[in-house]
Amino acid sequence: MLRKGIVTLLGSFVLLLIGSAYAQVPMASFLSDRTGDDEIYLIYDNGEIKQLTKNKAKVFTPEWSPDGNFIVFDSNVRGEENFDVFLIDLTDPQKPKQTNLTGPPDGPGLKLSGPKWAPAGEPRIIVYAAGLPNANGWDIGLLTLTPKGKFDDLINITNADGEAAGQDLEATWSPDGTKVVFESERKKVLERAQFDIFIADVEKRSIGKNQLNLSDHEAADRRARWSPDSKSVVFESKRDGNWEIYTVGIDGENLTRITENDKTDRNAEWSPGGIVFESQRDGNWEIYKSAPDGNNQVNLSNHPKSDQKPIWSPKGKRLLFESKRDGKREIYFMLADGTAVKNLSNDPENDTDARWNPQFELRSVQPESKYFTTLGHIKRTRLMQNFPNPFNPETWIPYYLAHPGSVTVRIYNVKGELVRSIDVGKQAAGAYTSRQRAAYWDGKDDMGQSVASGVYFYQLLADAFSETRRMVVMK
């Protein structure tokens, strides 16, 4: 069997038995060109890094199996654009075994790309290719692995009934493993292909059935990702002229705009920790976090250099991301509130495309308090947008301090009159972005009276630093 876990079922409870063999498990994988070409590396929470592949070919993003025992990836070891899907067996960490699932001599050479594991159940993998059965351009396919690491069958999901004229790309499993979401250009606008967001069933008896267009707009919609409950997706759209983040239910209803500014917001990921995405709204790429309804948007990375491609840990408590703050691209870690920033890969060459081991948080025997407890340096003192906004009657005012200082928050009405002065006191350098740490305003003036509805301005004073933002009280 591909799935090798030590699981004991006790009624409705599942007990994962952690033995000494799991005392040190890989934290994540990433790609690096430090040997001259892209290869897969593993990183451990003690800082150790191990090279996993030596293919001397193009290698694309590795994806973990749900049990953390296997990694699947695609590579053009046969040259040019002949991509094959490979499986790495990590059940013996000292002797990882690599198998070509789809190319000679182990297979027919199907040129499959973008493999992604099903979240649970049978070892199933979705791929995309131009050469799937019943193909019409690039389609999304499904292959199921056998106990010997081969595959039984290859099924065309998105062209099951001839629906898939044009390209179907970027498929992602729903957390419950019953559907996939993908982008498709099958609908054409003004004779020009334009991508929309679709879903399709992938259950055994209805593979490719019930395909539904969720976004249905003349502008480009792309890169959809699932909510943790499998009931909604988050995606990026250019329907207002620049890329913004939206969510929509899997019935196509309840379209919600998450971001709204004149800069690009993209690469959104959804987890129990909320929605995280990258944005150019501060003049460079930064990592932002948002509540699922678009409220409480906070800049987590807050650095003058580019920070991109955020990836949630399975429990939504931590983030991996890419940054150029040390020159070339590196893999960084931070907690969900933006603290404990740490460079994990730390190499002069480019390190990219990090992916969490889905079992790391379950198997690691390191106590939670030992994960990277050194706070990353805040490079700029910044005042952030209050949350919620609009609000009634209370709100929180987040900020970053690059240096220790005495902090005061002042509230003004539209006439410029001082309404409330909040003396926060002496603060250490750090991120004050959560409800527990941000400045709090109860919507009352210095006389203890609730203020009226309307526009107000809040100002952060931290020694010589001063910055002002706008907020709205709505009753």
Side-chain angles (χ1 to χ4, degrees), residues 37 58 100 125-126 165 168 202 204 220 268 284 297 327 359-360 379 382 433 436 462:
D37 56 86
K58 289 182 181 178
N100 187 335
I125 296 172
I126 51 174
D168 296 323
V202 285
K204 278 188 175 181
N284 63 295
Q297 293 188 25
Q359 291 293 315
F360 172 72
K379 301 299 183 183
R382 294 287 304 277
T433 56
Q436 292 74 28

Side-chain angles (χ1 to χ4, degrees), residues 53-322:
T53 63
K54 296 180 181 180
N55 289 323
K56 298 188 182 300
K58 289 182 181 178
V59 173
F60 286 86
T61 305
E63 297 284 347
W64 291 80
S65 62
D67 58 14
N69 287 329
F70 299 87
I71 288 178
V72 66
F73 68 96
D74 56 310
S75 177
N76 68 335
V77 294
R78 292 189 284 138
E80 299 179 351
E81 299 304 313
N82 297 308
F83 285 91
D84 296 308
V85 175
F86 290 79
L87 181 76
I88 302 177
D89 187 338
L90 296 172
T91 52
D92 183 352
Q94 303 304 317
K95 296 180 180 180
K97 181 181 178 181
Q98 179 175 301
T99 303
N100 187 335
L101 294 178
T102 60
D106 299 316
L110 294 171
K111 301 181 182 180
L112 306 181
S113 299
K116 293 180 181 177
W117 286 91
E122 289 184 301
R124 300 186 298 163
I125 296 172
I126 51 174
V127 293
Y128 67 89
L132 295 173
N134 197 32
N136 188 335
W138 289 89
D139 297 325
I140 307 300
L142 173 69
L143 58 87
T144 301
L145 298 185
T146 69
K148 293 183 179 181
K150 306 296 182 181
F151 64 91
D152 285 326
D153 199 5
L154 182 60
I155 300 172
N156 192 324
I157 300 173
T158 56
N159 202 29
D161 294 315
E163 308 96 328
Q167 297 189 78
D168 296 323
L169 302 170
E170 276 283 342
T172 303
W173 290 93
S174 63
D176 61 13
T178 64
K179 298 180 183 294
V180 293
V181 64
F182 59 97
E183 58 189 55
S184 176
E185 63 173 2
R186 64 187 66 180
K187 298 183 69 174
K188 292 191 175 182
V189 179
L190 300 177
E191 299 182 354
R192 181 169 62 89
Q194 197 71 279
F195 281 101
D196 278 317
I197 305 302
F198 284 75
I199 59 171
D201 287 353
V202 285
E203 294 183 283
K204 278 188 175 181
R205 296 183 180 180
S206 59
I207 294 176
K209 304 298 183 182
N210 301 317
Q211 294 193 30
L212 177 66
N213 184 349
L214 300 186
S215 57
D216 195 17
H217 195 275
E218 63 184 19
D221 301 316
R222 68 182 189 189
R223 202 180 180 282
R225 298 293 187 268
W226 291 89
S227 63
D229 62 6
S230 299
K231 295 181 179 180
S232 304
V233 299
V234 61
F235 65 98
E236 56 197 56
S237 177
K238 213 171 183 179
R239 57 187 67 193
D240 74 344
N242 62 291
W243 292 107
E244 302 282 2
I245 308 298
Y246 291 77
T247 63
V248 66
I250 62 170
D251 57 0
E253 301 296 327
N254 299 317
L255 179 71
T256 301
R257 182 169 180 162
I258 301 300
T259 65
E260 186 170 1
N261 59 83
D262 59 358
K263 301 296 182 181
T264 295
D265 296 314
R266 67 182 189 186
N267 284 346
E269 298 283 345
W270 205 334
S271 91
I275 296 173
V276 68
F277 59 94
E278 60 186 55
S279 177
Q280 278 189 320
R281 65 185 68 180
D282 295 311
N284 63 295
W285 289 114
E286 299 277 13
I287 307 300
Y288 271 75
K289 178 182 175 182
S290 171
D293 59 3
N295 286 322
N296 305 351
Q297 293 188 25
V298 177
N299 183 342
L300 296 179
S301 55
N302 193 43
H303 194 277
K305 293 295 180 69
S306 174
D307 298 312
Q308 295 178 266
K309 294 186 178 179
I311 298 292
W312 284 110
S313 66
K315 292 184 178 180
K317 295 181 178 180
R318 308 172 179 88
L319 286 160
L320 295 174
F321 65 99
E322 294 177 18

